[in-house]
Amino acid sequence: MDIEQTKIPQATAKRLPLYYRFLNNLHSQGKLRVSSKELSEAVKVDSATIRRDFSYFGALGKKGYGYNVEYLLSFFRKTLDQDETTKVALVGVGNLGTAFLNYNFTKNNNTRIEIAFDADQKRVGTEVGGVQVEHVDDLEEKINDTAVAILTVPSSEAQPMTDRLVKAGVSAILNFTPARITVPPHVRVHHIDLSIELQALVYFLKHYPLEEEQEG
Amino acid sequence: MDIEQTKIPQATAKRLPLYYRFLNNLHSQGKLRVSSKELSEAVKVDSATIRRDFSYFGALGKKGYGYNVEYLLSFFRKTLDQDETTKVALVGVGNLGTAFLNYNFTKNNNTRIEIAFDADQKRVGTEVGGVQVEHVDDLEEKINDTAVAILTVPSSEAQPMTDRLVKAGVSAILNFTPARITVPPHVRVHHIDLSIELQALVYFLKHYPLEEEQEG
DNA sequence: AGCAGTTTGTGAAAACATTAACGACTTCCT
DNA sequence: AGGAAGTCGTTAATGTTTTCACAAACTGCT
């Protein structure tokens, strides 16, 4: 069942949710068809790359016509498991955690933050973005079968909290702390490091000149 | 002056701030030397990749010894222009914007958020994370020579605000909105799309199995 | 029906990135 | 001083991703 899927390049897989979202936009605008060129302009991905990406799933388009929005959408819905919602836990209801909780994830999305944890007694028992905040001491007890965790704690807490999450059975962690956490090989970690993203942007700005600004 | 620099692969450039941060940690721990193997374990990057990355800047290490932490650090400081602080503006002081403002960027960092803008009169005039919040109507007037902007506005505002920022002379934008913004060719944009990161993680979790969990 | 115009899907090439492997050199122990 | 152990810097091999470019096939106009 996953035989074909495994072959999809990671770079492609990362773009799928992006495509999915824009197709949804088009669909709600009542658009019936779309070409790789149009889509390219909207998502800022080369049109050949888009066609290549789609082609991993078979021949989804029609020559001389483009792609049928509804068909493509229903195809992606299946592929991205949009029907089956993945439960997510969030640990650390600071500013960043709150931002996540308030984010409108339910729209066009296969993930839902089911529960949040924080160490601050003032936050426990409140509801943020429709999600109940529990005390972090109850993590093991209340996290149940949640497979994915978003880690938005202070970096000193990152590794201890990771260890607890792993013990509690979490199999993927989205780590927003600057700490590079250590996990067993069966646990998947993605790092999003805001400080590094900003520094990298500055580095590119200074060292990788783009086209000159056009005067007039 | 940039002749050599231009050849550094983008993938390497993205890792430089990460290396820099960990070297700082080591230095403040009083460590004098470090090997690519040790560093590899700390930052979770293959040691051969680390050696390759460093080698773009010349021979920074010593065979049989490793790298001198202080020397490496002073080298990176120059390379990453740590002495020269880049001014950053933040637009949209919501949860995510607030998270950024409260982030301790000044430590080990070549970037500083100098000014923030928001449309909400209640926030204007306050100080968040030591940064003054101005009304977004005054953006053009007060943004001055700021080169980089962090965009944390609602996605409906993304393109209009981008157009204003570009007109005001900003040359790089870190875009946290789900909108894919359009800019002239001389402006650099990096997208960080929280919803997509989460969806991609879930997709990898389901379709790219890692090593099986070890029982016992 | 026929033809000009459009757009896909993909083979082949190019560009980019990671990893293995090892010679050369350094350290440090005895 | 000599040799075992350690580590870099780099060549070559491998893997991944993007892009080009075009035949094939469809659309839609007249």
Side-chain angles (χ1 to χ4, degrees), chain A:
Chain A
M1 171 227 200
D2 267 356
I3 302 153
E4 296 290 325
Q5 305 269 324
T6 307
K7 288 182 192 158
I8 294 165
Q10 302 222 352
T12 297
K14 278 197 172 182
R15 284 187 292 262
L16 297 182
L18 182 63
Y19 297 148
Y20 183 73
R21 186 162 64 208
F22 273 81
L23 287 170
N24 257 304
N25 290 353
L26 292 177
H27 187 246
S28 61
Q29 282 164 33
K31 252 186 155 263
L32 299 178
R33 58 185 267 191
V34 65
S35 69
S36 60
K37 188 151 160 284
E38 279 176 283
L39 206 48
S40 169
E41 277 151 29
V43 300
K44 318 286 181 194
V45 171
D46 187 273
S47 68
T49 301
I50 292 177
R51 292 200 300 281
R52 170 80 64 204
D53 284 347
F54 287 1
S55 78
Y56 291 115
F57 300 100
L60 303 177
K62 218 188 242 182
K63 300 182 182 188
Y65 174 90
Y67 300 89
N68 179 298
V69 173
E70 193 136 10
Y71 176 73
L72 206 49
L73 208 45
S74 77
F75 186 87
F76 274 110
R77 210 176 348 254
K78 275 182 290 176
T79 304
L80 290 171
D81 307 300
Q82 295 288 339
D83 294 331
E84 180 193 341
T85 303
T86 300
K87 293 181 187 175
V88 178
L90 182 141
V91 188
V93 189
N95 288 308
L96 190 55
T98 303
F100 247 108
L101 293 174
N102 284 320
Y103 213 97
N104 193 348
F105 272 122
T106 39
K107 205 174 68 180
N108 310 340
N109 233 302
N110 60 336
T111 53
R112 189 162 74 235
I113 303 179
E114 296 266 323
I115 191 167
F117 296 97
D118 200 279
D120 188 341
Q121 204 52 257
K122 287 198 293 293
R123 292 197 189 109
V124 174
T126 65
E127 214 182 89
V128 180
V131 178
Q132 195 70 25
V133 180
E134 305 287 345
H135 196 282
V136 77
D137 286 351
D138 303 334
L139 191 143
E140 286 80 1
E141 182 191 333
K142 292 188 171 162
I143 200 166
N144 294 325
D145 58 338
T146 308
V148 178
I150 299 172
L151 196 59
T152 47
V153 297
S155 48
S156 59
E157 295 300 318
Q159 189 60 56
M161 197 55 71
T162 297
D163 296 343
R164 287 178 64 184
L165 287 166
V166 168
K167 229 173 215 167
V170 160
S171 41
I173 295 175
L174 194 56
N175 175 25
F176 281 88
T177 77
R180 259 23 201 191
I181 57 182
T182 301
V183 294
H186 65 277
V187 177
R188 185 176 281 278
V189 177
H190 282 202
H191 293 276
I192 301 178
D193 195 315
L194 301 185
S195 164
I196 282 180
E197 297 290 343
L198 185 57
Q199 286 189 75
L201 178 62
V202 168
Y203 186 85
F204 284 128
L205 178 63
K206 291 190 179 175
H207 297 274
Y208 295 69
L210 295 172
E211 201 173 295
E212 282 300 311
E213 182 166 2
Q214 300 301 317
E215 289 295 331

Side-chain angles (χ1 to χ4, degrees), chain B residues 157-178:
Chain B
E157 296 300 318
Q159 189 61 56
M161 197 54 70
T162 298
D163 295 344
R164 288 178 63 185
L165 287 166
V166 169
K167 229 173 214 165
V170 160
S171 40
I173 295 175
L174 194 56
N175 175 25
F176 281 88
T177 77

Side-chain angles (χ1 to χ4, degrees), chain B residues 122-133:
Chain B
K122 286 197 294 293
R123 292 198 188 108
V124 174
T126 65
E127 214 183 87
V128 180
V131 178
Q132 196 70 26
V133 179

Side-chain angles (χ1 to χ4, degrees), chain B residues 15-87:
Chain B
R15 284 187 291 262
L16 297 182
L18 182 63
Y19 297 148
Y20 183 72
R21 187 161 65 208
F22 274 82
L23 288 171
N24 257 303
N25 291 354
L26 292 177
H27 187 245
S28 60
Q29 283 164 32
K31 251 185 156 265
L32 299 177
R33 57 185 269 192
V34 65
S35 69
S36 61
K37 189 152 161 282
E38 279 177 282
L39 206 48
S40 169
E41 277 151 30
V43 300
K44 318 286 180 194
V45 172
D46 186 274
S47 69
T49 302
I50 292 178
R51 291 200 300 283
R52 163 84 62 218
D53 284 348
F54 287 1
S55 79
Y56 291 115
F57 300 100
L60 303 177
K62 217 189 244 182
K63 300 182 181 189
Y65 174 90
Y67 300 90
N68 179 298
V69 173
E70 193 135 11
Y71 177 74
L72 206 51
L73 208 45
S74 77
F75 185 87
F76 274 111
R77 209 175 348 253
K78 274 182 292 177
T79 305
L80 290 171
D81 307 299
Q82 293 290 337
D83 294 332
E84 181 194 339
T85 302
T86 299
K87 293 182 187 174

Side-chain angles (χ1 to χ4, degrees), chain B residues 95-115:
Chain B
N95 288 309
L96 190 54
T98 304
F100 248 108
L101 293 175
N102 283 320
Y103 212 97
N104 192 350
F105 272 123
T106 40
K107 205 174 68 179
N108 312 339
N109 232 303
N110 60 338
T111 53
R112 190 162 73 235
I113 303 178
E114 297 265 323
I115 192 167

